[in-house]
Amino acid sequence: MNRPSRNRSSFNLRGRMLLVGATLGLCSVALVGRAAYVQLVNADFYQRQGEARFVREIPIPTSRGMITDRNGEPLAVSTPVESVWGNPQELMRHPERLPELARALGVAEEELTRRLSQRADKEFVYLKRRINPDQAKAILAHNVPGVFSQREFRRFYPQGEAMAHVLGFTNIDDRGQEGLELAFDEWQRGKPGSKRVIRDRHGRIVENIDLVRAAEPGKDLTLSIDRRIQFLAYRELRNALTATKASSGSAVVLDVATGEVLAMVNLPSYNPNAVTGGAQDTHRNRAVTDLVEPGSTMKPITVAAALNAGRVTASTRFDTNPGYMALGRYTIRDHHNYGVLDVTGIITKSSNLGAVKLAEPLPNQYFYEFIKGFGYGSAPNSGFPGEAVGSLREPARWDGLTKSTMAYGYGLSATPLQIAQAYAALGNHGRLITPTFVKGQINESRQAVKPEVADQVLRMMQTVTEPGGTATQAAILGYHVAGKTGTARQASAGGYARRYTTTFAGLVPATQPRFATVVVINDPQAGSYFAGLVSAPVFRSVMEDALRLMDVPPDDIDTWLAAQARGEAKRQAAIPQLPQALEESFEDDLTIPPPMGEAGAGGGGHR
């Protein structure tokens, strides 16, 4: 019987060991080769894949430049805040934590869930932006997976409503939306930086790799605005609107010599620190966007045109009897019958008839070019967004009444800034300067009228604020004031309504003007509607304090001394006279020390 053959495995052990060793060796070679391929040949690809999962390039926020007034007082500053954000993918994996997160954020759970669901394929969503760092810290303290915070900046305006229309405001991304924030947005915004970091799977930064680009902060901006004068103008304009129940108003103060805007206010206003929810109508800067018919504030320009053409002199007289005149199918009237007036009297009494008689002999093209030379019908080019050009029709489009009505301020329109610019030219010896909001900026200038004519008209305008003029309430003790009132009816469909725009434009001190100021109040409903009683007092109140703040020396010392003397006389007269007996009793009670060396005379001295 044949026995089974012996197990051959014992005889093939060596071969099997060699096979296993060869297999392991080949695997090792393959692994080494693969590692070499991954780390040497195709390293960049896998590096990118790794970085795509864990390395992020995140922005480094930067702040906007600060805005200051001409004296360095802050008007707009950027303060650090925190924004809470989340990773929707991570948050949706923990739905049980969403109610807690919603309570921490102060939002409805349904709203939070909806926002996250809409961005379920994203890795980033803002949960709450630009909040106090302490608030952000309280939210993060809940340790909800996928919730983080980052540093941002928020704009703050210390002056609030008083400076709102000049500065404007920024949006939630810190981009300028209105005013000078918009005009100088690129200058102030700066450039955010960037850095590369490694995040873990929860989105937390575990390592800063390198700085890609350093953040560049925005540049500061120094305005020509004087915060103190700005507040004065805002306060007095607000008081005037309250007293007269007017619908709106504007005030502009220019530095005559430089064209710098020292103050510009409008009412109604808004709070730039809380823009949302306010009426959009309050956001516009009426002083540069809203047009008014200048009314009688045009009469000094008309007088200057006639004097500059050599058609009249200051002593030329005009007969305005009987106080009205027919012009086509219309009748032009003065407030009273002023009889015969010289050129100065036309400004003093604000005679419409006198202005018409001055303009009638002037060539149409000359009159048009002269008015345009004072900035009417052209943008002021101050750099403020949305400047209105105004309307000034060319002579080819005039009818038989246009030149006559333009002579006393109807048939053309301008902004309060344009009127202030024109009056500043009269105060600057006839030289028109482009207005600016930037301190120290030198703008273009040109001669609008002969210097001697401008100076002559300025002297005529002084009579407006003196006894017999239409704006005695604009007078300032110790200073000569040159100005002009303008009370214009507001245009409506088919003509003019019984609603008024009251304007006062003035220069002070008149002998060497420092300030050109225009006050416009629309539609006063209480009391008088005449500019001399509505707008002129605002001018006086603002300029009285502005002259003191800027240390402008008085140019009318005699009047000031006379007023001081009258005041002292009144005070003396108000002191009650004591009866003679009572006066003697006071004398008996008065102890007068003896002369030196006589204290012991007669042995009766006291020690």
Side-chain angles (χ1 to χ4, degrees), residues 191-230:
K191 296 180 180 179
S194 179
K195 64 180 179 179
R196 293 220 307 254
V197 300
I198 295 178
R199 293 185 184 275
D200 63 13
R201 66 188 184 89
H202 298 293
R204 294 171 298 199
I205 297 175
V206 297
E207 183 181 353
N208 291 311
I209 300 177
D210 62 3
L211 179 66
V212 178
R213 182 178 61 255
E216 297 180 20
K219 301 180 182 68
D220 293 343
L221 179 65
T222 301
L223 300 185
S224 59
I225 297 288
D226 189 302
R227 176 184 59 85
R228 302 165 301 175
I229 300 177
Q230 179 82 8

Side-chain angles (χ1 to χ4, degrees), residues 22-308:
T23 301
L24 292 175
L26 289 174
C27 289
S28 298
V29 170
L31 288 174
V32 171
R34 181 61 178 171
Y37 176 78
V38 169
Q39 297 187 35
L40 300 177
V41 179
N42 204 24
D44 292 342
F45 170 78
Y46 289 99
Q47 183 72 23
R48 288 195 300 270
Q49 291 297 310
E51 289 179 353
R53 288 163 173 78
F54 297 103
V55 177
R56 295 288 184 269
E57 186 172 308
I58 62 174
I60 302 174
T62 186
S63 62
R64 288 176 72 87
M66 183 168 61
I67 301 178
T68 65
D69 81 339
R70 65 186 303 107
N71 301 311
E73 294 290 335
L75 303 179
V77 295
S78 291
T79 57
V81 292
E82 293 288 326
S83 288
V84 177
W85 64 276
N87 183 337
Q89 296 179 5
E90 181 76 12
L91 285 168
M92 294 305 287
R93 286 197 290 267
H94 302 276
E96 74 282 356
R97 302 296 303 276
L98 295 185
E100 179 185 354
L101 178 60
R103 288 192 297 272
L105 293 171
V107 300
E109 181 184 349
E110 295 78 10
E111 179 186 350
L112 176 62
T113 304
R114 178 179 55 80
R115 290 175 59 193
L116 294 175
S117 300
Q118 290 174 344
R119 297 166 176 81
D121 59 336
K122 307 293 184 183
E123 295 183 349
F124 183 92
V125 61
Y126 279 117
L127 300 176
K128 201 157 191 177
R129 293 198 67 180
R130 301 203 306 181
I131 60 176
N132 187 290
D134 290 338
Q135 292 177 284
K137 186 177 180 180
I139 295 172
L140 295 177
H142 290 266
N143 293 318
V144 178
V147 177
F148 313 95
S149 71
Q150 67 182 34
R151 173 63 57 87
E152 289 190 308
F153 292 90
R154 181 177 182 178
R155 209 64 161 161
F156 176 63
Y157 304 95
Q159 307 304 316
E161 294 185 1
M163 202 72 69
H165 294 105
V166 172
L167 298 178
F169 56 90
T170 59
N171 63 10
I172 197 168
D173 294 314
D174 224 17
R175 298 290 183 93
Q177 299 298 294
E178 297 279 357
L180 297 180
E181 289 277 31
L182 174 60
F184 293 93
D185 184 58
E186 186 174 350
W187 172 269
Q188 290 192 273
R189 196 166 62 227
K191 296 180 180 179
S194 179
K195 64 180 179 179
R196 293 220 307 254
V197 300
I198 295 178
R199 293 185 184 275
D200 63 13
R201 66 188 184 89
H202 298 293
R204 294 171 298 199
I205 297 175
V206 297
E207 183 181 353
N208 291 311
I209 300 177
D210 62 3
L211 179 66
V212 178
R213 182 178 61 255
E216 297 180 20
K219 301 180 182 68
D220 293 343
L221 179 65
T222 301
L223 300 185
S224 59
I225 297 288
D226 189 302
R227 176 184 59 85
R228 302 165 301 175
I229 300 177
Q230 179 82 8
F231 179 76
L232 289 172
Y234 175 79
R235 182 190 67 190
E236 297 303 327
L237 186 65
R238 182 186 58 192
N239 291 342
L241 262 64
T242 300
T244 62
K245 294 181 170 56
S247 61
S248 61
S250 301
V252 178
V253 181
L254 296 183
D255 187 298
V256 169
T258 65
E260 292 180 336
V261 180
L262 298 176
M264 179 179 286
V265 298
N266 301 274
L267 285 170
S269 188
Y270 66 97
N271 183 2
N273 295 301
V275 177
T276 56
Q280 293 294 318
D281 183 59
T282 63
H283 291 177
R284 73 178 188 274
N285 187 348
R286 299 171 186 269
V288 299
T289 63
D290 285 18
L291 299 175
V292 298
E293 287 185 299
S296 294
T297 60
M298 275 299 297
K299 288 171 184 173
I301 309 298
T302 300
V303 169
L307 292 170
N308 195 69

